[in-house]
Amino acid sequence: ARELMLLKISHDQLEKQYIVKPISIRSIILDIREKMLASKDEKEPLEFLLKFVSTIFNIYDAAIIIYYAKEDNFNVIASINEDFKLNTDDILIKKSIEDDAITYISQVEEYSEYLAVIPVKREDLYYLFVIKEINFLYLNLDTLLMINLFMFYILKENEILKNIKEII
């Protein structure tokens, strides 16, 4: 009976992931690009990404933050919850900026109030996707790399679209 229940739960999760919410990287990038072409604000595609990714990967609390390296200043661009509190002294944020790499809770032995930090560096700026609460099934390197890819795409595409937006 226990094994049958585990099988049923596993099947329900697979059904939820692949049948109810089918996604592909190509379709997400097309959606992001359309949003970028329609938006007037540079922050709007990142806000869209945060909402979109939180729906797909069952992220319950997260934010996108800009870190200005020269001024040592953090600025929250968008967050899922309005009461998102940023702890700039958190070990994951510091390690992510120092290593310029995706960091998550299992890589550090100290306490962190965040589960993962995904950085994308652009000149002196670090764009950080900070995850505070996520469904444990989605807290894996594949999910974090996909979020990193989408953020990198938005930032690269934003530079290109600035130059050709009037033509389009």
Side-chain angles (χ1 to χ4, degrees):
R2 256 185 261 146
E3 289 176 7
L4 182 64
M5 286 308 295
L6 284 173
L7 181 64
K8 182 186 179 327
I9 291 170
S10 176
H11 181 271
D12 290 347
Q13 284 297 322
L14 284 173
E15 184 177 82
K16 183 178 177 185
Q17 289 176 14
Y18 295 108
I19 297 173
V20 178
K21 293 190 290 187
I23 61 162
S24 72
I25 292 175
R26 180 179 291 153
S27 69
I28 293 173
I29 286 178
L30 286 173
D31 289 343
I32 291 171
R33 190 157 205 267
E34 286 177 19
K35 189 69 169 176
M36 290 176 76
L37 288 171
S39 72
K40 306 220 183 311
D41 187 14
E42 193 173 307
K43 295 178 183 179
E44 203 171 315
L46 291 170
E47 291 170 351
F48 172 75
L49 173 70
L50 182 66
K51 290 175 187 171
F52 196 71
V53 166
S54 67
T55 304
I56 293 170
F57 299 123
N58 293 343
I59 298 174
Y60 308 118
D61 197 6
I64 296 178
I65 297 154
I66 295 180
Y67 171 66
Y68 301 92
K70 285 184 180 176
E71 296 98 34
D72 192 33
N73 185 21
F74 291 87
N75 184 17
V76 178
I77 294 178
S79 65
I80 294 173
N81 294 330
E82 291 179 17
D83 59 339
F84 185 88
K85 301 270 192 277
L86 178 65
N87 179 4
T88 57
D89 295 327
D90 192 86
I91 186 71
L92 280 184
I93 290 178
K94 287 182 177 182
K95 186 171 173 45
S96 175
I97 292 170
E98 284 174 11
D99 298 347
D100 192 19
I102 296 172
T103 55
Y104 44 95
I105 196 73
S106 64
Q107 293 176 328
V108 294
E109 293 179 12
E110 298 174 39
Y111 170 79
S112 174
E113 61 186 271
Y114 306 116
L115 298 176
V117 178
I118 306 162
V120 175
K121 186 178 180 183
R122 193 174 129 204
E123 298 164 14
D124 276 0
L125 300 175
Y126 284 89
Y127 288 82
L128 306 172
F129 194 104
V130 179
I131 299 174
K132 193 171 187 176
E133 191 176 339
I134 185 173
N135 183 324
F136 74 95
L137 294 173
Y138 291 99
L139 185 58
N140 56 49
L141 194 55
D142 289 342
T143 301
L144 301 178
L145 286 171
M146 197 174 295
I147 293 170
N148 184 270
L149 171 77
F150 296 145
M151 280 189 46
F152 181 78
Y153 173 78
I154 285 176
L155 297 174
K156 278 296 188 191
E157 192 70 12
N158 211 10
E159 292 174 12
I160 295 168
L161 288 179
K162 280 182 187 176
N163 297 329
I164 63 169
K165 197 166 194 168
E166 293 176 12
I167 298 170
I168 294 175

